[in-house]
Amino acid sequence: MTDDTQVSIGELARRTGLPVRTIRFYCDEGILESGRSAGGHRMFDTVTATERLLLVRRMRALGLGLGSITEMLRGERSMDEAIAAESARLDLELRSLAWRQASLRAVGTAAPTQRSERLALLAAAQDGGAVHEGLVQFWRRILAPVPRNDVDRWVGWNVPEPPADPSVDEIVAYAELAALVTDPALNSIVRQHLWLSHPELIHDRHRLYTDVGDALEDVVPLVAKDVQPHGGPELDRFVTAHAGARGDRDSPRFRKQLLIEAADADRRIRRYWALTGRLFGDRITVGRALHWVHAALAHSTDAPAS
């Protein structure tokens, strides 16, 4: 009489469609339990082994790794957790593929004379997450010694996330941002752009950082509505923040000095703001807010004294 509760490895292979060598491997890895017949051959519980192998086969077909499947079978991870982890891994893989595809299109659409330069630019920026982290660290160096938690406010305003499915224009812009912040001179240029006149005289950079950030947030709605730069409480707040940080006061003399240092003359800082503006789309960037304030400052120093 045949014991229907037990099957040989060959019969199990026939029932599940898996090769015998694969079933042996799963046994060796502890994924599947087996016993031994009187003759020393592997024997398996018919129902349990078949169900387990079919589950493993189906989960593998969805791309789950053996490690995740083993944890799930041992009860160390639920199926929902295993699926969520694999989905997150797949999201990263798809983003990486989209990034590579956009890079290839960007090189392919470049003029022949520009392909070598564009290839070098994009090859250095193939990890969007690493590029983003490099941009974040750049701003943290710029804003030191402002505490890191407070810097996050400004970082979110200045550092665009890597596009999930970048266009040619977006991936070239992001790669160019990565290249820009590797220029050692840009650090001092951006510091000057933010801290303005006589940064060595600033008593409390943290306070200045906070006050200027608040003033620029007041400017954002004006920029969004295409309000022309002008004197007013927004500009006054910006100037007062800089004057107070240096133990000075708002005056025509101070405003003229501030305007001299506020000139956005360096092409690299202008390019940085242009690229972030392109990547942020309709969002008002710090660069646009600062440009508005500087233009308003110029207007106020040109206006006749009342």
Side-chain angles (χ1 to χ4, degrees):
M1 180 180 294
T2 303
D3 184 0
D4 292 335
T5 65
Q6 296 285 309
V7 290
S8 67
I9 194 168
E11 176 61 18
L12 188 59
R14 187 188 67 77
R15 288 172 180 252
T16 61
L18 290 169
V20 168
R21 64 179 179 278
T22 300
I23 297 176
R24 288 199 186 101
F25 173 75
Y26 288 161
C27 289
D28 294 340
E29 292 297 311
I31 294 174
L32 187 66
E33 294 182 356
S34 67
R36 293 285 178 176
S37 68
H41 300 293
R42 292 182 196 260
M43 299 298 292
F44 303 86
D45 180 87
T46 305
V47 175
T48 302
T50 300
E51 289 180 350
R52 175 160 288 208
L53 285 178
L54 289 175
L55 175 62
V56 172
R57 181 177 182 177
R58 289 161 184 165
M59 296 297 280
R60 290 287 287 161
L62 292 178
L64 269 74
L66 279 179
S68 295
I69 295 173
T70 302
E71 290 175 355
M72 185 182 67
L73 294 174
R74 290 173 178 169
E76 299 169 359
R77 175 184 285 192
S78 69
M79 181 179 288
D80 286 345
E81 291 171 333
I83 290 173
E86 178 61 21
S87 180
R89 186 197 68 77
L90 192 58
D91 282 342
L92 289 175
E93 186 176 328
L94 290 173
R95 286 173 70 99
S96 177
L97 290 172
W99 198 271
R100 288 170 56 193
Q101 185 179 51
S103 296
L104 291 171
R105 289 200 306 266
V107 174
T109 57
T113 56
Q114 297 175 336
R115 281 185 178 173
S116 179
E117 180 180 354
R118 180 166 288 188
L119 182 60
L121 180 72
L122 293 169
Q126 276 306 289
D127 186 338
V131 172
H132 180 265
E133 181 59 26
L135 294 171
V136 169
Q137 293 304 322
F138 170 78
W139 280 103
R140 284 181 176 153
R141 290 192 298 270
I142 293 294
L143 295 168
V146 177
R148 180 168 179 167
N149 289 341
D150 293 331
V151 167
D152 289 342
R153 170 195 185 190
W154 198 278
V155 166
W157 206 359
N158 284 280
V159 180
E161 294 284 343
D165 186 14
S167 65
V168 167
D169 186 61
E170 286 173 331
I171 198 164
V172 171
Y174 212 72
E176 192 175 340
L177 274 181
L180 271 175
V181 298
T182 62
D183 182 349
L186 191 65
N187 188 293
S188 60
I189 291 166
V190 175
R191 280 177 175 269
Q192 178 67 31
H193 186 67
L194 293 179
W195 302 122
L196 302 181
S197 63
H198 303 296
E200 72 280 0
L201 299 179
I202 297 172
H203 305 309
D204 186 348
R205 290 198 179 189
H206 187 192
R207 177 64 181 273
L208 176 59
Y209 161 79
T210 301
D211 291 347
V212 167
D214 291 341
L216 292 179
E217 285 184 355
D218 289 343
V219 169
V220 167
L222 303 179
V223 178
K225 295 176 182 177
D226 289 326
V227 175
Q228 291 300 306
H230 61 272
E234 299 83 12
L235 176 62
D236 293 345
R237 190 173 185 180
F238 178 84
V239 175
T240 298
H242 277 284
R246 294 167 175 80
D248 207 330
R249 62 183 182 82
D250 186 355
S251 66
R253 173 199 58 78
F254 184 79
R255 289 194 174 208
K256 287 181 180 179
Q257 181 60 39
L258 207 60
L259 181 62
I260 292 171
E261 303 296 340
D264 303 334
D266 192 279
R267 63 171 180 79
R268 287 163 292 189
I269 188 63
R270 293 201 310 271
R271 187 60 180 164
Y272 185 94
W273 296 131
L275 291 168
T276 54
R278 186 182 304 173
L279 289 161
F280 277 128
D282 294 334
R283 180 175 168 183
I284 307 303
T285 63
V286 168
R288 290 180 65 186
L290 279 173
H291 182 74
W292 191 98
V293 169
H294 295 168
L297 186 61
H299 178 78
S300 75
T301 56
D302 289 340
S306 57

